Every structure is written in structure tokens, then in C-alpha cells.
Amino acid sequence: MRAVLRAGSQALRISRPFIVPRTTIIPASYRIITPRPFHTSSASFFVGPPHNAPPPHNPPPPRPPQDQGANYDDVDDEGEVPEVVGAEGKRTRMKDMVVELTAKNFERMTVQSQVPVVMMCYTRHKAECQTMRNKLEAIVRQYPGSLRLSCLNLETAPELAQQLGIMDVPAMFCFANGRLVDRFTGLVSDKTINERINILMRTASIAIISELTAAGEAALEAGDVKKAVETYNKLVTDRNMKAESYGLAGLAMCALNQKDLPLAQALVKNIKDNYAADITHIPLIKQAVSNVELAAASLPSTDMKGMEDAVKASPEDQQLRYDLATAYFAAGHHDKAVHQALECLRRDRTWNEEAARKLVIKIFEALGPDSEITKLGRRRFSSLWFM
């Protein structure tokens, strides 16, 4: 984590940021994705021991055995694959991980399961089915006790193929909380499998994700930044929830609250680099990203009164009005920010490649869809843009 450069008799220590890729598991003793330690009197943006604690010894886990797949015939009387050595080097009963479905255990191991389930429908004669099963087993081993692979041989249950609308095998059905949440077919890539599993695990944990994000927002609104940071860190570090992007977005808002724009930008960069799709599909994350971008766009040490006077003196100067809108937003005057951005749009839609329109949308995203300022502003925006 540190590089040492020697210049003459002096040694210069340079700390590098710990950037977490999408599939990396964050050890409990590592700091989260920050370019430098961040401390305030009320909050600490890192996971694990204090900064002066000695670095932990984290030896890499032993490599899993090369042959990770279970043969279709390796099942006991209960339809369960025997014990194997998992990816973490521990012997684990596969009944908690890989199950052969029978008429006796079908519902219990799918829709009634207490953990998320990937049901793989297969036939013995198709080689792609065994390859896909090996891929899925390797992933399921990463979630001991938290994810199940239930395998159904359609040769023993041909009526189910018609009921499930299966046209080809292998066919995968993902269940969470008793509901079918996803399905896909064929021998897909490891990347696609991981993406599907991430969706499944997140869907299964959506209730607790919502609870934690709401608790973090409430703590931040009440001024308890330390509690907010602790809450959002849970989302970052719990690998089973697949909610890292939620936690990073919340921590970015905490950093903004503490006036630490560089840290907020670093957290948002991590989201953009590793969870870009979440920005588009999850309003909470889009809101945090927009807030940070607007804060970065505002001028430092803004003389608000001077900018207001300048706009009055030169009302046709679009750049002055644009800068005033971003300064208003950074200062918390959100209604004034929307007013100036819309006025900028009214005067010239095409100015600076539609910069005014983009600013208005960015402000709406930052405030969120439930904001009264957003609702009123959207109506005026529609009347201006579509008139």
C-alpha cells in the first residue's frame, strides 16, 4: 500500500489510494477507497482499526481445487452433493450450497428457501450444462450459507420444461424472498453470471438496504455524521448485500457535509469506475453523484453579493447567470439556483451546448424526485423546453 522513493539520504513515503474494483471483497481492516485518511471531530471515513494500528497480516486464501464441479451422479439419497473443500479452504456440507432437486425438496429448495436461489435446469446429454454448473458452483462457494444452487434434471421432470417455458438448456431461474426475480439461458460468460448474481443478492437484501440508507440519511439530516458514516460503511463492507455503491454514495454525501470536496469526488470516481450502471438506475446514487458534481462546479470563495450585482448589471451574460446558479446551489439556496438556471435556459436554450438545460436536470437529480422544488421546477422546465 506504500511506495518508498529514495532521494539522496532522504526517504519519501507516498501513500496510494486503495481503489476497490467491482468484484473485490473489502477486508474489515482496510480503509475504504479514499485518497488519504479522513478524520473530523465527529466522523472517521475508514473501516477497521485506527490509523496508527499496525497493518494486519492477511495471507491470501488457499487456491481452490482445480476440479470444482460436482458430477451429476455425486448425490446422496436426499438429493444433496457430498462434502467438498470450498474456496476458503474449509470443508463444507454442500447441502447448503448445491442441491439436486427432487419432487420431495423442490419447493423447499426454491420458492421457500430462506436464502437466494439460482435454479439451473439441465439435461445430462448437453455438455454446456455441466460447464455452466461448474461456473455456478464456483460462484456459490463464495457465499457459503448465503446462496444456493438448485439443479433440476428436466429428463426426470419433462412437464416442468413446458410449464417454465424452457426452450433451451441450461436455463437459470433466480429466486429471492420467494419470488422469481430473474432468468437467463445458455452458457453465458463469467462476467454476465457475476452481474446476474449481484442483482439477485441485492434484490434479496433490498429491505435491509433500504433500512440502512434511510437510517444514514436520517442521521446525516440530524447532524450525526459519525452515525451516518458507520451506517453507510455497513453497506460498503457487507459483501452479500452487493450494495457497495449505495454505501459509497452515502459516504460522499457525508464528505460534502464535512466540506471535504476532494474526498467526495474520490468516492464518486469509485462509483463511476466500478458501478456506472447504478448511477443510471438508482435515484439515490444519481442524487449523490449530482450533488458532488454541482459542488465541484461552483466557484471557490464565491462572493454571492458581487455575483448578484454582476448579473443585474449584465443580464444577458449567460456565464455569469450560470455561475450564480451553481453558487446558489452550493450555498444551499436551491430554489434560487433553480430560478437562475431556468432563467438562463429561457434566455438561450442552445448556449454553450445546452449547458443551462443540463444544469437544470443536474439540480433536479441532486434534489431528488420527491423534492417540492424539483416538482415545481419540472413544471416550469416543461413549459420552457416544450413550448
Side-chain angles (χ1 to χ4, degrees):
M1 297 304 292
R2 292 182 180 273
V4 179
L5 304 181
R6 294 194 174 274
S9 61
Q10 295 181 336
L12 305 177
R13 292 188 178 273
I14 301 176
S15 295
R16 293 181 294 178
F18 179 53
I19 304 300
V20 182
R22 187 174 184 88
T23 57
T24 296
I25 302 168
I26 306 175
S29 57
Y30 281 171
R31 301 174 189 141
I32 63 161
I33 320 102
T34 61
R36 56 181 174 77
F38 176 78
H39 284 283
T40 71
S41 59
S42 58
S44 175
F45 285 77
F46 70 92
V47 179
H51 292 292
N52 57 2
H57 176 62
N58 291 313
R63 295 179 62 86
Q66 292 298 314
D67 185 13
Q68 298 185 36
N71 187 278
Y72 288 127
D73 295 320
D74 293 339
V75 296
D76 59 21
D77 294 337
E78 296 295 321
E80 297 161 355
V81 184
E83 184 181 64
V84 299
V85 178
E88 298 182 354
K90 296 183 295 186
R91 302 195 68 84
T92 306
R93 278 292 298 180
M94 291 295 287
K95 66 181 180 180
D96 292 327
M97 300 165 67
V98 180
V99 176
E100 280 293 325
L101 291 177
T102 64
K104 179 180 178 181
N105 67 5
F106 182 85
E107 288 192 2
R108 179 167 57 90
M109 293 298 176
T110 53
V111 294
Q112 294 179 1
S113 174
Q114 298 299 307
V115 298
V117 175
V118 178
M119 182 178 75
M120 188 193 86
C121 301
Y122 70 93
T123 57
R124 290 173 181 262
H125 70 275
K126 195 165 184 178
E128 289 89 342
C129 292
Q130 180 68 64
T131 302
M132 188 65 185
R133 176 167 179 158
N134 292 347
K135 287 174 174 278
L136 290 171
E137 285 187 18
I139 292 179
V140 168
R141 281 185 173 85
Q142 300 173 23
Y143 303 89
S146 300
L147 177 64
R148 176 175 290 119
L149 173 61
S150 297
C151 302
L152 177 63
N153 182 1
L154 292 180
E155 294 168 341
T156 64
E159 68 283 355
L160 280 177
Q162 184 175 1
Q163 293 176 15
L164 296 171
I166 297 174
M167 305 299 293
D168 193 15
V169 290
M172 278 60 65
F173 297 80
C174 300
F175 295 90
N177 303 320
R179 297 186 300 110
L180 177 66
V181 298
D182 192 16
R183 62 181 293 175
F184 55 102
T185 304
L187 181 59
V188 299
S189 67
D190 291 345
K191 178 182 178 182
T192 299
I193 295 174
N194 277 309
E195 289 173 349
R196 300 285 188 159
I197 295 299
N198 287 346
I199 293 172
L200 173 62
M201 299 303 289
R202 181 181 292 176
T203 302
S205 304
I206 195 63
I208 189 169
I209 291 173
S210 299
E211 179 181 337
L212 287 172
T213 53
E217 290 175 352
L220 192 58
E221 187 175 343
D224 191 346
V225 182
K226 181 179 180 180
K227 182 177 179 181
V229 169
E230 291 173 351
T231 302
Y232 289 128
N233 272 336
K234 293 177 182 178
L235 292 167
V236 173
T237 57
D238 191 325
R239 59 191 290 269
N240 288 338
M241 285 195 288
K242 295 299 178 184
E244 294 95 334
S245 56
Y246 286 83
L248 293 172
L251 290 172
M253 294 300 293
C254 292
L256 280 184
N257 180 276
Q258 297 293 296
K259 310 299 182 186
D260 193 330
L261 181 58
L263 176 58
Q265 289 176 303
L267 292 164
V268 164
K269 183 181 185 302
N270 192 293
I271 296 173
K272 290 181 177 180
D273 289 346
N274 301 302
Y275 310 98
D278 290 351
I279 300 174
T280 303
H281 299 109
I282 303 174
L284 178 70
I285 297 172
K286 181 185 291 185
Q287 183 177 353
V289 171
S290 296
N291 269 283
V292 173
E293 290 176 345
L294 285 170
S298 63
L299 297 175
S301 304
T302 300
D303 178 8
M304 200 76 70
K305 183 65 168 60
M307 294 185 69
E308 292 171 344
D309 292 341
V311 169
K312 289 179 182 178
S314 305
E316 300 302 323
D317 191 324
Q318 291 285 83
Q319 188 63 57
L320 281 177
R321 193 177 297 277
Y322 182 95
D323 292 342
L324 179 60
T326 59
Y328 274 144
F329 187 88
H333 305 309
H334 299 151
D335 53 343
K336 292 183 179 180
V338 171
H339 173 75
Q340 292 297 336
L342 288 172
E343 181 61 18
C344 195
L345 178 68
R346 185 188 70 79
R347 289 176 178 273
D348 188 349
R349 293 186 184 187
T350 61
W351 171 76
N352 196 16
E353 298 182 348
E354 298 185 355
R357 178 187 66 82
K358 296 174 184 177
L359 177 60
V360 170
I361 293 175
K362 187 72 68 178
I363 292 174
F364 290 160
E365 291 174 349
L367 295 177
D370 297 328
S371 167
E372 288 300 321
I373 296 176
T374 298
K375 293 175 182 178
L376 293 173
R378 284 191 185 280
R379 287 197 285 268
R380 188 180 172 198
F381 171 78
S382 298
S383 66
L384 288 174
W385 189 252
F386 300 107
M387 62 183 297

